[in-house]
Amino acid sequence: GAVVSQHPSRVICKSGTSVKIECRSLDFQATTMFWYRQFPKKSLMLMATSNEGSKATYEQGVEKDKFLINHASLTLSTLTVTSAHPEDSSFYICSARDNPNEQFFGPGTRLTVL
Amino acid sequence: DAKTTQPNSMESNEEEPVHLPCNHSTISGTDYIHWYRQLPSQGPEYVIHGLTSNVNNRMASLAIAEDRKSSTLILHRATLRDAAVYYCILRDFEGYQKVTFGTGTKLQVIP
């Protein structure tokens, strides 16, 4: 299957700082990418859907000004957690799709905010 | 969105077959049944999908009930590496729905 990478795999930051997470589709072009968040022992929760070249669509309850998503190219989407706080500590997973029936997931980024 | 219901957890002995059930009584005629699994501290990975007929691939088999209101993911010989959370998800035939996850079934494989 196709490969989706994320960088960094884990990050620790101080409260109040911003953190950027990159998601790349390595061997295919992804017109649509998705960002999920997962708390310990919980299921994945969809945060937003991003289409290349247009604004992301956020799920209800997700603050778009806090979680900035950019999908500037067909192989790269970024999630920036602005002014991070300890409650933003979570496992962030991106996903990319190259055709309607196949969706591939990245390995995840563990964010810890001190 | 059509919902799915799965048991929270299941256990299996190593080398034994495992049958993971999923109920989707409100499935529509154009919904595909997809299965993903998530190993600890990793992103989900695709396992299998089907519409009406049973499906086999190198990872697993998918048995779909005749009325399509339930399905079963079959791991023919569980290994310790199969210990994961297994998610059953419905997607429309065009696949343009975003993938949303339920609680899934946590499979424990006992050596």
Side-chain angles (χ1 to χ4, degrees):
Chain A
V3 178
V4 175
S5 70
Q6 283 184 240
H7 178 79
S9 58
R10 56 178 65 231
V11 57
I12 301 172
C13 69
K14 293 182 179 179
S15 187
T17 61
S18 294
V19 175
K20 180 185 284 189
I21 302 170
E22 292 186 348
C23 174
R24 293 182 185 272
S25 55
L26 297 185
D27 49 3
F28 67 101
Q29 293 186 325
T31 53
T32 305
M33 288 186 171
F34 306 87
W35 286 95
Y36 295 82
R37 180 169 55 181
Q38 185 175 34
F39 292 108
K41 300 191 187 304
K42 298 293 185 182
S43 186
L44 285 79
M45 185 185 76
L46 181 66
M47 299 175 67
T49 302
S50 74
N51 292 298
E52 185 264 338
S54 62
K55 289 184 179 180
T57 303
Y58 290 81
E59 295 298 302
Q60 194 171 8
V62 178
E63 301 174 60
K64 62 181 181 180
D65 294 329
K66 181 165 184 64
F67 299 100
L68 303 179
I69 292 171
N70 184 280
H71 190 167
S73 79
L74 287 172
T75 59
L76 173 64
S77 176
T78 60
L79 167 68
T80 301
V81 183
T82 62
S83 187
H85 291 283
E87 58 264 31
D88 299 322
S89 298
S90 190
F91 192 48
Y92 291 87
I93 302 168
C94 76
S95 176
R97 183 168 66 195
D98 66 343
N99 71 67
N101 262 316
E102 302 226 52
Q103 188 162 331
F104 303 98
F105 290 82
T109 296
R110 175 85 53 198
L111 170 63
T112 303
V113 184
L114 302 176
Chain B
D1 293 344
K3 291 188 181 295
T4 62
T5 305
Q6 299 176 253
N8 287 334
S9 62
M10 290 184 66
E11 279 185 3
S12 172
N13 293 319
E14 198 176 8
E15 303 293 314
E16 296 286 322
V18 183
H19 291 231
L20 298 165
C22 180
N23 286 322
H24 28 79
S25 59
T26 59
I27 190 172
S28 75
T30 56
D31 282 337
Y32 279 83
I33 302 157
H34 285 245
W35 284 81
Y36 288 81
R37 73 178 185 181
Q38 185 180 23
L39 279 65
S41 297
Q42 295 187 30
E45 65 173 337
Y46 167 84
V47 178
I48 200 167
H49 79 278
L51 183 62
T52 57
S53 304
N54 295 344
V55 183
N56 299 298
N57 66 21
R58 64 175 179 81
M59 289 181 72
S61 296
L62 177 60
I64 301 172
E66 201 168 322
D67 63 4
R68 299 202 336 118
K69 294 186 177 182
S70 65
S71 61
T72 302
L73 179 71
I74 302 165
L75 307 179
H76 295 287
R77 290 178 67 194
T79 70
L80 296 178
R81 288 175 295 180
D82 292 322
V85 179
Y86 287 79
Y87 296 98
C88 168
I89 294 161
L90 302 182
R91 300 181 68 187
D92 67 58
F93 78 103
E94 289 187 339
Y96 289 111
Q97 278 179 343
K98 51 202 174 186
V99 174
T100 55
F101 290 81
T103 53
T105 297
K106 184 174 183 178
L107 175 66
Q108 184 178 358
V109 180
I110 302 168

